[in-house]
Amino acid sequence: HSDGGWPSVRPSLMRDELSRNTIVGGVRVETAIQQVEDELAKWQCNKYTHITRAVPVSAVSADHKSVIKLETIFSRPAQDCPVPVAVVFVYFNLDTATGALTYQFEEENVQHEVSGQSLAPGMYERWLDRIIGDKLQVRQLHDLATA
């Protein structure tokens, strides 16, 4: 093999991840992921790496049948620390009946609506910085307590 002898492996789904070909409420999951990615492109979070995936809806009720749940994981790997110490989850919901895309940051109860009530451009990266900073502070305190 020209790739160093490794067998070619098809990328597998992460645990609990919905296939991109799954259709929910008439919308392909891949289309929902692309909608989230289009929104994230506006966030200007260039120092962060991210991955977006669709996750199954655990409670199947009448109002959840037409919702695609997605999560985006933001991280800042560095040359000296390729596995980030802390990550930030942002949870998206696409209502396939109305086309409304909403999101919330992991530690918030506030639902933001794309094209509606949301953060000002350029504020998203600062928001991620704050959440990561909070997590690192908690980790430092924990390390001090257990040292």
Side-chain angles (χ1 to χ4, degrees):
H1 293 329
S2 61
D3 58 1
W6 293 100
S8 62
V9 180
R10 203 174 64 95
S12 62
L13 295 176
M14 291 175 65
R15 180 179 57 82
D16 296 338
E17 185 174 359
L18 278 185
S19 165
R20 288 175 171 257
N21 295 321
T22 302
I23 295 176
V24 178
V27 177
R28 187 179 297 273
V29 165
E30 188 166 30
T31 304
I33 290 172
Q34 190 55 56
Q35 267 187 271
V36 169
E37 288 298 323
D38 291 347
E39 173 60 20
L40 294 175
K42 301 172 192 169
W43 286 20
Q44 303 166 6
C45 297
N46 301 329
K47 66 184 179 185
Y48 284 89
T49 299
H50 73 270
I51 182 170
T52 299
R53 64 194 193 108
V55 292
V57 177
S58 51
V60 179
S61 59
D63 58 334
H64 279 88
K65 282 187 180 159
S66 64
V67 172
I68 298 176
K69 290 194 169 294
L70 306 109
E71 66 180 21
T72 299
I73 306 168
F74 284 92
S75 64
R76 280 182 61 189
Q79 194 68 38
D80 61 339
C81 186
V83 177
V85 178
V87 298
V88 177
F89 285 85
V90 181
Y91 302 103
F92 287 86
N93 289 316
L94 175 66
D95 185 328
T96 59
T98 65
L101 183 63
T102 57
Y103 63 92
Q104 76 183 72
F105 291 91
E106 66 180 72
E107 59 180 35
E108 284 191 335
N109 295 325
V110 181
Q111 282 277 343
H112 301 276
E113 193 167 332
V114 169
S115 307
Q117 190 79 33
S118 64
L119 297 172
M123 289 299 293
Y124 294 96
E125 196 166 78
R126 298 223 305 255
W127 205 257
L128 296 174
D129 288 345
R130 184 186 58 76
I131 295 170
I132 293 262
D134 290 350
K135 286 184 171 190
L136 293 176
Q137 217 171 14
V138 167
R139 171 163 280 171
Q140 264 182 330
L141 291 172
H142 181 262
D143 288 349
L144 287 173
T146 57

